[in-house]
Amino acid sequence: KSIYYTQAQTFPGSTQKSDFLGSLARTLMTKLTTETNVNPMVLFRAFSSGLSRRDILFMFSREDLQQLVEHFGWSGRVFNDFGCKGVSEENCLFDPIALVEANLSVSKVNYFIKHTGLREISIAPNGGVSERVSLSIRNTVNLTADPNARGIGGSYRTYLRFIVPIDSSINGVTLDGITVLSRDSKSTKLPQLPYIEKTEGPAGAQSLGVAFDVPPGREKKVQILYNRRAQLPFGRGGALLDLLWYKHPGISDTVVSTIVRYPVFWVATDESGGAGLVAKDGELQYNTTILQDQLTRIKFIK
């Protein structure tokens, strides 16, 4: 209903979008705060789930309130919660990844967008870490499936940012296997899609933006390759690798496979109770749907 009333039969200057969404929000708040048949425990659980999944975020102008929500991770800030907690950082490598996606389309097509992620991590005998991270974006819009939905959806123009550790050396970005070139930052003309560009990242991280289109009924696969300058640090008890995949606010359907390859003469142990774990010689594979921040701890012994 929201997609229909905010997109169908609109025209320049129309207030239909703001009128509908405003009425929806006001009606929802009125029902929640005045009707006696609203179960407060069910509402609390829904609200709590929204917080843990980053589907509800807070921003306050008051500094004390903002510090409070950032302390609990409710502000949407990435890379503010570091790994290797409870262990010595001398024997642990924190390896986070965040994919931040923005819809630059005129259409409200997000409902029709499906995501599949793949993270491949290769660890060399000397502890060197190299990574290949892929995201497939499928646009399931069918403009003729429902007469009431004609004109809804359309092409999906996205700006996807890969946020990786600050010590990462990026080796390239591809779209459907073709290298994506950097935009000319000095040009005054609108850049042609697709393109990549360096963007400002949060503290302790760097960010690379990729802009491209996903037409209706199509799927696009964007991939980034990089190496970590920091190596997996071994101590007397072995080494720990803390992998973190940040959950994107508002997106709860990302199916992700994480594959960790390491020398076959090492012993690897999952210490996080990772769901969907498949273990092979020299390889661990995790398959899951990202519903909240996904932290995986692996212990290696040579």
Side-chain angles (χ1 to χ4, degrees):
K1 291 293 185 179
S2 296
I3 295 172
Y4 178 79
Y5 284 112
T6 57
Q7 184 170 337
Q9 300 178 353
T10 59
F11 54 89
S14 171
T15 62
Q16 177 174 294
K17 174 182 174 181
S18 58
D19 290 345
F20 175 79
L21 293 178
S23 297
L24 176 64
R26 288 190 296 272
T27 303
L28 178 62
M29 291 304 298
T30 298
K31 284 183 174 290
L32 291 178
T33 55
T34 62
E35 293 194 1
T36 58
N37 61 347
V38 175
N39 188 320
M41 290 305 299
V42 174
L43 179 62
F44 178 81
R45 284 196 294 268
F47 197 82
S48 178
S49 175
L51 289 173
S52 65
R53 296 186 178 201
R54 294 185 185 272
D55 293 334
I56 298 176
L57 301 175
F58 292 105
M59 183 182 70
F60 293 98
S61 57
R62 279 179 49 182
E63 185 176 350
D64 56 338
L65 294 179
Q66 187 64 24
Q67 289 178 350
L68 184 63
V69 297
E70 291 196 11
H71 171 75
F72 288 106
W74 297 339
S75 68
R77 188 185 299 275
V78 298
F79 282 36
N80 66 325
D81 189 13
F82 295 97
C84 299
K85 290 185 176 180
V87 298
S88 172
E89 294 186 4
E90 295 180 356
N91 300 331
C92 181
L93 177 65
F94 181 45
D95 194 21
I97 181 74
L99 276 62
V100 181
E101 187 176 341
N103 179 359
L104 302 185
S105 310
V106 176
S107 59
K108 299 296 181 182
V109 72
N110 293 71
Y111 175 81
F112 303 99
I113 301 302
K114 305 301 178 184
H115 305 81
T116 304
L118 175 61
R119 186 180 188 187
E120 299 173 273
I121 302 167
S122 298
I123 305 175
N126 66 351
V129 178
S130 60
E131 303 205 26
R132 182 195 308 264
V133 180
S134 307
L135 183 68
S136 296
I137 300 179
R138 182 163 54 97
N139 186 348
T140 65
V141 165
N142 187 338
L143 299 179
T144 60
D146 182 349
N148 295 321
R150 289 175 182 166
I152 293 177
S155 185
Y156 180 53
R157 175 162 295 183
T158 183
Y159 189 81
L160 174 66
R161 286 188 294 152
F162 289 95
I163 302 178
V164 298
I166 192 68
D167 70 330
S168 300
S169 177
I170 299 175
N171 299 322
V173 175
T174 62
L175 181 65
D176 290 340
I178 301 175
T179 299
V180 182
L181 302 179
S182 299
R183 66 172 294 186
D184 184 359
S185 59
K186 298 180 180 180
S187 176
T188 58
K189 298 180 180 179
L190 289 175
Q192 290 187 338
L193 300 183
Y195 67 82
I196 61 174
E197 64 180 356
K198 286 277 190 178
T199 63
E200 183 178 356
Q206 58 176 307
S207 174
L208 185 72
V210 189
F212 58 98
D213 284 330
V214 185
R218 297 282 299 279
E219 182 174 350
K220 294 288 184 178
K221 179 181 178 181
V222 60
Q223 185 176 91
I224 184 173
L225 291 86
Y226 59 94
N227 299 324
R228 293 288 304 275
R229 286 192 288 274
Q231 295 182 336
L232 189 64
F234 278 87
R236 295 181 59 183
L240 295 174
L241 177 64
D242 271 12
L243 302 175
L244 183 61
W245 185 296
Y246 278 92
K247 193 265 184 186
H248 193 298
I251 298 179
S252 299
D253 67 339
T254 303
V255 179
V256 171
S257 293
T258 300
I259 302 174
V260 182
R261 300 184 179 95
Y262 55 92
V264 293
F265 49 85
W266 291 7
V267 176
T269 306
D270 176 84
E271 296 201 339
S272 56
L277 171 62
V278 178
K280 304 177 183 178
D281 289 341
E283 180 178 300
L284 297 178
Q285 179 172 341
Y286 300 84
N287 302 296
T288 186
T289 299
I290 301 296
L291 300 178
Q292 58 187 34
D293 290 351
Q294 195 79 34
L295 179 64
T296 303
R297 174 170 290 180
I298 305 172
K299 183 177 182 178
F300 296 98
I301 299 177
K302 291 186 178 181

